[in-house]
Amino acid sequence: MPEHREAQAGYHRYHIPTRPAPDIEKWPSRFKVKVRRTGLAKLLLSEVFHYRGRKDVILSRPCMYGVFSGPVGGFMPREEHCVGCLRCTTEFPEFVRIEHNPERQKLGDSYFTFNYVDQIAYEASSGLVPVRGAGYRGKFGGEGWDGMWTDMSEIVRPTRDGIHGRETISTVVDIGYTPNFLQFDAAGQPTGSLPHYISIQLPILFEGGDLAREGHVARIYARTAAELDTLAVLPFDQAIGLGEYAHAVVPVVRPQDAPRLSQLGFAPRVVEMHGWDDALYTTITAAFPEAIIALRTGFEDAAALVGYARRGIKVFHLLADYHGRSQDGRFVLDLIREAHTAFVEAGIREEVTLLGSGGMIAAEHMPKAMICGLDAVAVDTPLLVALQARFNGECAGRDASHFSLPSNLNEAWGVQRLKNLAASWRDQLLEILGAMGLREVRRLRGEMGRAMFMKTLEADAFAGLLGYTEAN
Amino acid sequence: MADIAHKTDEQLIVEKHIANLHNGFAHWPRAEEAPPALGDSRWTQDLILATWLMAETGKPPENGLEYKIGASGGGFDVLDFNIPTEDKWLPADTEIDLSIPLNRRDDGAQLNINIPMYGGGMSYGSISEHVMQARARAAQHLGTFTSTGEGGYPPSLVLYKDHIITQVATGMFGVREETIQYAPIVEFKYAQGAKPGLGGHLLGDKATDVVAAMRESVPWVSLFSPFPFHSVYSVEDHRKHVDWIRTTNPRALVSVKVSTPTDVDMVAVGSYFAGAHIVHLDGSYGGTGAAPEIAKKNIAMPIEFAIPKVHKYLVSENVREEVTLMASGGVRTAYDVAKAIALGADGCVMGTAELIAIGCTRCSNCERGRGCPFGLTTTDPLLQQLMPADWGQQRIVNMYNAYAIQLRELLRKLGLRSIRELRGRRDLLKYVG
């Protein structure tokens, strides 16, 4: 539909405006470029003689990216431009050497490795889908997310939806309660419980409940979430004063916050209760009668979650640590499946919303987590990386991790970085959905038939080979 | 010196860099230390350098470079051959046949290829015309094929048309009556492994005047080949596609290139019943052009898992002897080819290995700026001169010669006289993960 006709019809196609937002803090370059100056000087001298002073020929450099285009060329290479193509070292193996920069490789930690950091940095600065040539470069499979592939819809699948453009795929998700069915009285009026949910445009929430401890970070999260029509989960203290973004802010309320709920200054659409507490639940319900109350808790006990649902909680924000582990060491992929399955078996999966955080640090983790059973992902550490935070050592524990943000962090830049990240992840989600032939992301939830796991595939393919056992 | 005076700056610049590059391609495989930033888990330093060496010498490396497996920790890299004791080997002078048939049906031309491999589709625009020429000439020399990809059929390739597969994909770029009629084999690209379900995409920067003219489009505009064929939603629809090709060129064999979804076995059988002579499975870990990173790793299964699944299903449907199964997408070495065949393929389709033979370092910057700094995946007039077609042809021929030596030696040790005897021989494989 042409834009003016969409406007006339009161329809607005969802779109995230992206804009380049280059790094504000200089990070170490990806590569170190080492040039032996004597070798270079000898080469230049010999070429001056050989090419009879033909300047353009002599100064024709092997780098297309500007590494040797500074005032003194190869005598002072501009490493920040190096993309690691290796043409220079191929042409001049005797005196040019390209190495991975160990300082760059220190970014992140053992889980959020520098490859993920690089990817997030690109997404947040450009808003684009990372595209590269020459095929896949990584390990074959592995544990966790790396041992899972998503399906695609091939030519002759009779059940395919058909897809005529990624722009028509919906990424809207609902947060709240929807009854399995409605009941009506003799007069045709609905009785019993009614749907109580909100819709947001992205299956991506901003999780700052433990991380947005500083006011300006909380404001960046809230403003971005408001502009994107999603939600920012923030500590109660940081949520105070963010009334201008009321529809996007989800305060996390702990028991000690109960006496101060009126200080919030606005009526949030969703409130997160930090751990189950009867008295706190009553207090929050009384203070914010229209709000959807979510329970913020660990993944550990799926059966207990079903119990909380029976007591009135319909939204669960399930937390693993930043490396995707539960307290007993299990990985978030398995934990999500357990929680989802518990609700399915209880017959109430359609009534509840499952949000998850922890260990979901790349765009591809989002659709995989949804296939395993989440309705949406509340993104945590990638937001900080998008804001160029540095990890101070290993950052796994939610309370024990420390990140350093750039000293010159400013709101406008931060908002654009998070918008860019969200746009990039959404576009990548659309690629996954388009490949499957799905028209809306809500259909992805719990679609285990769309998943392929390495253990299963390998057993199917290699069972019976000498040396192969299921234990492999 | 006199030469220099009569040459333009551009000529001298190209000559200078070509000489330097060729020096480097020869130097590094023999150096004590490899370039530190070269290689990755799939294509290790050793695999890249060994491919350069094979492309130079035409023989397997003898200097200790690992040329059989990579370091990905799975798939082909955890498989090996269970070589019998020496007394069971065939004599060293045994004739070993590496040819395979591409048509196992009763209809159409009975085409054989001399080696169990042909070149995969790489489109004009995504690679240079020089690269296309090099691949086509090599295919002619080797008695096999190469594929146009979906970017048109440059007139310079017509000379080699008996060894060129015309690809038909959703953008229909370069698909004309004559390009169908040239082709001994027409390949329908329904999907590709590097970006399954996403279609093709030539970035605007690569759509130069010449490329755009070839694709009957306008310059500097990104060109999409959208997934899927909107005329094909069933086996019957696909059958209509096959009929359309057969009407235009009754001699042509039909190949169907598909990706590897969870129901890849049914896709393959459907393709067969729609009339395909060749089912070409393209696994998720290959790809030579630009693709979203999210697609490469995460969508569709690796080829190592798809081959046995499809082979077994074709056998169970009693049609295995009527269709040729080709595999691609992460097939890097002669040993990968042999493993793919032992898992159930008839042969393999090669892409990245050919590019590495002619100088690719797998830096993944194919789409950046002017394109490949080595002149391969570029349409930049200056850059593409860095890879002369005659040099490239010889490098590709040499690489396949080295592969052929390895395959013959392997088959001899396995006691097999023909590569066809290896197909589906899982009993000859062992798991070493």
Side-chain angles (χ1 to χ4, degrees), chain A residues 47 49-52 54 56-58 60-62 64-65 83-87 89-94 97-100 119 129-140 146 149-157 160 163-164 166 363-364 368 428 431-432 435 452 457-458 460-463 465-468 472, chain B residues 1 4 7-9 12-13 16-17 20-21 23-24 27-28 33 36-37 40-42 71-72 74-75 79 82 190-191 196-198 227-228 230 233 259 261-263 267 285-294 296-300 302 304-305 312 361-368 371 373-374 386 426 430-431:
Chain A
E47 287 197 344
F49 173 72
H50 183 72
Y51 293 114
R52 298 182 180 180
R54 303 266 287 266
D56 287 348
V57 180
I58 296 160
S60 171
R61 299 173 170 98
M64 297 159 45
Y65 307 104
V83 300
C85 77
L86 307 184
R87 184 171 146 189
T89 196
T90 306
E91 285 204 35
F92 302 108
E94 300 83 5
R97 184 181 166 96
I98 307 296
E99 298 172 359
H100 293 289
Q119 188 102 327
V129 173
V131 173
R132 301 188 77 193
Y136 174 59
R137 302 165 65 83
K139 289 285 184 186
F140 184 86
D146 288 340
W149 291 275
T150 63
D151 197 17
M152 55 85 67
S153 183
E154 197 61 81
I155 44 172
V156 289
R157 171 177 284 179
R160 62 172 305 126
I163 201 76
H164 298 280
R166 292 174 182 82
E364 65 261 30
K368 288 181 176 178
Q428 292 177 74
E431 299 284 11
I432 296 273
M452 296 181 274
L457 291 176
E458 194 174 66
D460 287 348
F462 296 162
L465 296 189
L466 183 68
Y468 181 81
N472 292 124
Chain B
M1 285 295 199
I4 287 172
K7 287 181 178 170
T8 64
D9 280 0
L12 290 173
I13 287 169
K16 163 179 147 174
H17 290 298
N20 289 340
L21 285 169
N23 172 55
H27 169 91
W28 281 116
E33 188 193 8
D40 52 67
S41 301
R42 293 202 59 80
S72 73
L79 296 179
N82 193 19
Y190 284 100
L198 307 187
F227 176 84
H230 289 304
Y233 287 94
S259 186
T262 187
D263 59 351
V267 170
Y285 284 174
T288 52
E293 291 284 295
I294 192 168
K296 294 179 190 171
K297 167 67 179 75
N298 300 294
I299 307 178
E304 293 92 329
F305 299 152
K312 277 188 263 185
T361 57
R362 265 174 71 76
C363 71
S364 300
N365 294 298
C366 317
E367 84 298 345
R368 192 189 290 258
F374 295 87
L386 295 177
R426 290 159 45 89
K430 62 182 176 183
Y431 185 89

Side-chain angles (χ1 to χ4, degrees), chain A residues 177 196 276 281 285 292-294 305-316 351-352:
Chain A
Y177 165 69
H196 183 205
W276 177 260
Y281 181 62
T285 309
I292 295 164
I293 301 176
L305 299 179
V306 174
Y308 295 133
R310 305 242 188 254
R311 297 168 77 171
I313 295 289
K314 301 300 181 186
V315 178
F316 295 86
E351 295 184 5
V352 301

Side-chain angles (χ1 to χ4, degrees), chain A residues 224-295:
Chain A
T224 315
E227 293 184 15
L228 295 178
D229 193 7
T230 183
L231 299 171
V233 182
L234 299 172
F236 183 80
D237 285 337
Q238 299 303 340
I240 294 171
L242 291 174
E244 61 187 302
Y245 308 119
H247 68 288
V249 172
V250 179
V252 176
V253 177
R254 298 167 185 257
Q256 63 267 31
D257 301 320
R260 304 186 294 134
L261 292 186
S262 60
Q263 291 178 18
L264 189 61
F266 61 89
R269 293 196 294 170
V270 182
V271 177
E272 276 198 9
M273 179 170 63
H274 194 282
W276 177 260
D277 183 308
D278 281 317
L280 186 59
Y281 181 62
T282 306
T283 307
I284 295 171
T285 309
F288 306 115
E290 299 299 319
I292 295 164
I293 301 176
L295 178 63

